[in-house]
Amino acid sequence: MAQFIEPFSHFVIPTKNINQPPMRSPRIFVLEPDNDVRPLLKHNLENWGYQVIMALDEADALQRIREGGERFGLILLNQNGRSIDEIIAIGRQIRQSTELDSRAPMIVMAERYGVELEGQNIQVGENEYVTYLEDGQQLRNLLALLCPV
Amino acid sequence: MKPENQILANLSADVFQRLAPHFVYVNLEQGEIIYRPGEPLSHLYFPLDCLLSLTITMQNGATAEVGMIGSREVFGINAFMGRRETTQTGCSSQVAGSAIKIDAQVVRQEFDRNGELRDLLLRSTQAFLAQVSQTAACNSLHVLEQRLARWLLNTQERINSNNLPLTQEFISVMLGVRRAGVTLAAQKLQERKVIQYRRGHVQILNQAGLEASACECFQTIKTEYDRLLGEK
C-alpha cells in the first residue's frame, strides 16, 4: 500500500565523528537512458557526496552488476517513457541480480504528474519509493534520508 | 505615449498614428491558444509584457518551442509574407500579460504602401529568424544547463522581469526535454545561487552568473536584435 513519507525536517542526519576513520562515500546505482539528463544527474549526485555507477539502459545495468560485483547503497531510476510498475520491475531485477544488496532502497523519479503530486515522495513497496520532484533539493533530501552521506 | 513593444516603439509618429486606431489591447492568460496550425491568420500580436511561444507538435504529441515572441517581436509575420496561414507552427501564451492586437489586413495594406513599416517589419523578421536559427543550433550543440540558462535570459529580456512565473514542467515542454533534466539543471544553477526556484516561479538572483552559465547563444541573439532593431 502506498505510504507518504514524513516531512524531512523531522529527520536528523547524523554528523560525523572526527575520531572515526574517513568513510567511503555511499555508492548509488543509477539507470538513466536520457543523454541530456545523465550528466546533470551524475554531477548533482557527486556534488552531494555520492559515488555514482551509471547505466544507460536495462541491459547495460544488468551487465554492469554481473561484471562489477560491487556493493551499492541505493538504486535510482528515471521513469523515462515507461510505466511506474515497469520501471519498478526493472529496479527489482537489478536488485535481485546482486545478492549482497538485496535490501538496497530504490527510488523512481516520476516523469509526468500534476501539481497535486509535486513535492511528494510515496512509498510503494518495501524500501521502494516514487518521487514526484518539485525541485532538485527534494531528491537530495530523500537521498540523505535513505542513503546518508 | 508609445507602448513597450520594441517594434511599435521604433515606428515614426506618423506611421504609429495611422495604425493606432486599429489597436486592441488584450490580456492573455497563461496557456491561452493564440493560433492553431492551418488556421487563417486574422490578427497580429505585439506583446507588451506577455510572452508567446511558437511551438511545433509532432505526430506522437510531443511538443517543443521553436521561437519566443515577447516585447522585442511581433506574432503573425506570415500576414505580410505571402500566405496567411502556417501549416506547422502554433502559438500560445506562456507568460500571462498584455499585448496589442491588430487586424492582419490593416497591417498588410500598410506594409504594401509604406516603406518605413515594411523595412521595420522585415528587419524584425530577420531578427526573429536569427533567434530561431541560433536556437536550433543551440539545441543540437549545447548541454541542457546552458540551454536552460539561455532560455531564462531570453524570457527575462522579453518580459522585463527577474521573476518568471514558470513551472519546471512547462519549461521542459518548451525546451523539448524531460522534466527531470530541467529539475537537475535548475538545481545546479540554484546551488550556484544564480536562480531560485519556488513552486512555479523562477527568480533570477545573479544576472552575470546566469549569463556565465549560458552558452554564447543568448549574447549572439541579443547582439543581432540590437543591431537590427536598436538596443532595448
Side-chain angles (χ1 to χ4, degrees):
Chain A
M1 190 176 126
Q3 182 184 336
F4 290 87
I5 299 178
E6 291 291 312
F8 296 107
S9 55
H10 295 184
F11 293 90
V12 177
I13 300 168
T15 52
K16 287 178 184 167
N17 181 337
I18 55 170
N19 296 320
Q20 286 177 347
M23 292 178 65
R24 288 181 67 190
S25 308
R27 183 177 284 131
I28 295 182
F29 189 92
V30 180
L31 174 55
E32 178 50 83
D34 190 299
N35 292 336
D36 276 327
V37 180
R38 199 181 308 115
L40 289 163
L41 188 52
K42 188 168 191 292
H43 170 92
N44 277 302
L45 293 174
E46 288 177 346
N47 198 37
W48 298 337
Y50 296 100
Q51 293 182 60
V52 180
I53 305 167
M54 188 68 77
L56 308 184
D57 55 31
E58 188 181 349
D60 184 36
L62 294 173
Q63 189 178 347
R64 276 170 191 273
I65 285 170
R66 281 190 214 107
E67 286 174 357
E70 291 183 287
R71 301 189 67 149
F72 46 84
L74 188 137
I75 303 166
L76 179 62
L77 310 111
N78 194 345
Q79 187 182 354
N80 205 44
R82 297 174 185 256
S83 71
I84 294 281
D85 287 344
E86 283 172 333
I87 203 76
I88 286 175
I90 292 170
R92 285 176 183 160
Q93 204 182 345
I94 293 169
R95 193 157 58 182
Q96 283 161 9
S97 298
T98 163
E99 289 177 14
L100 288 173
D101 305 295
S102 60
R103 285 171 299 167
M106 182 200 308
I107 300 174
V108 174
M109 292 188 288
E111 189 170 65
R112 291 189 183 279
Y113 43 92
V115 286
E116 72 284 358
L117 280 171
E118 250 183 28
Q120 305 278 359
N121 301 307
I122 298 179
Q123 186 166 0
V124 293
E126 191 180 351
N127 248 355
E128 294 165 356
Y129 305 85
V130 179
T131 183
Y132 299 87
L133 293 179
E134 182 193 346
D135 55 29
Q137 191 63 36
Q138 185 185 340
L139 178 62
R140 185 178 188 174
N141 291 342
L142 184 58
L143 290 171
L145 175 67
L146 299 174
C147 187
V149 177
Chain B
M1 193 178 119
K2 285 195 177 178
E4 303 220 347
N5 177 282
Q6 194 177 11
I7 298 172
L8 294 179
N10 273 344
L11 288 172
S12 67
D14 180 42
V15 176
F16 184 83
Q17 290 306 324
R18 272 225 292 282
L19 292 175
H22 304 281
F23 288 166
V24 179
Y25 286 79
V26 290
N27 284 311
L28 301 172
E29 299 296 321
Q30 186 173 36
E32 192 170 333
I33 307 283
I34 309 298
Y35 178 78
R36 293 178 205 278
E39 288 177 350
L41 193 66
S42 59
H43 292 86
L44 282 80
Y45 289 79
F46 293 90
L48 302 176
D49 56 7
C50 67
L51 192 68
L52 311 180
S53 268
L54 273 191
T55 55
I56 286 187
T57 302
M58 297 297 178
Q59 285 179 352
N60 67 358
T63 298
E65 183 184 66
V66 294
M68 188 182 271
I69 297 168
S71 60
R72 302 200 82 174
E73 290 92 5
V74 56
F75 167 71
I77 56 178
N78 288 58
F80 53 84
M81 290 185 73
R83 299 297 291 268
R84 288 178 58 194
E85 73 280 339
T86 69
T87 54
Q88 312 153 272
T89 49
C91 184
S92 58
S93 168
Q94 60 166 276
V95 174
S98 55
I100 290 176
K101 180 176 163 181
I102 182 168
D103 190 295
Q105 195 62 36
V106 171
V107 177
R108 177 73 201 213
Q109 284 167 2
E110 282 298 317
F111 180 88
D112 286 341
R113 71 180 176 207
N114 186 305
E116 179 196 322
L117 180 65
R118 185 163 57 241
D119 176 62
L120 179 59
L121 289 175
L122 289 177
R123 275 189 285 129
S124 115
T125 303
Q126 188 178 349
F128 185 66
L129 280 173
Q131 183 210 132
V132 170
S133 36
Q134 190 75 29
T135 303
C138 180
N139 287 341
S140 297
L141 299 173
H142 293 147
V143 297
L144 179 52
E145 180 194 351
Q146 293 176 308
R147 280 147 52 198
L148 174 63
R150 181 260 300 159
W151 193 86
L152 293 173
L153 288 163
N154 278 333
T155 301
Q156 175 207 37
E157 192 190 21
R158 279 158 182 77
I159 65 169
N160 304 308
S161 173
N162 288 331
N163 292 303
L164 317 178
L166 300 161
T167 63
Q168 294 192 354
E169 170 76 20
F170 190 82
I171 296 171
S172 72
V173 171
M174 291 300 106
L175 289 173
V177 298
R178 295 190 183 280
R179 178 176 177 150
V182 172
T183 303
L184 294 163
Q187 179 69 17
K188 268 184 91 173
L189 296 174
Q190 190 153 289
E191 287 183 358
R192 268 188 242 142
K193 303 195 185 317
V194 169
I195 64 164
Q196 186 174 44
Y197 180 77
R198 287 276 178 279
R199 284 209 169 237
H201 280 268
V202 179
Q203 186 180 8
I204 296 173
L205 302 174
N206 179 344
Q207 175 80 20
L210 189 57
E211 289 186 21
S213 303
C215 46
E216 72 214 53
C217 296
F218 168 68
Q219 275 305 334
T220 303
I221 294 168
K222 184 178 185 311
T223 302
E224 191 65 352
Y225 270 74
D226 290 350
R227 183 178 76 84
L228 291 162
L229 299 170
E231 287 189 22
K232 194 169 172 233

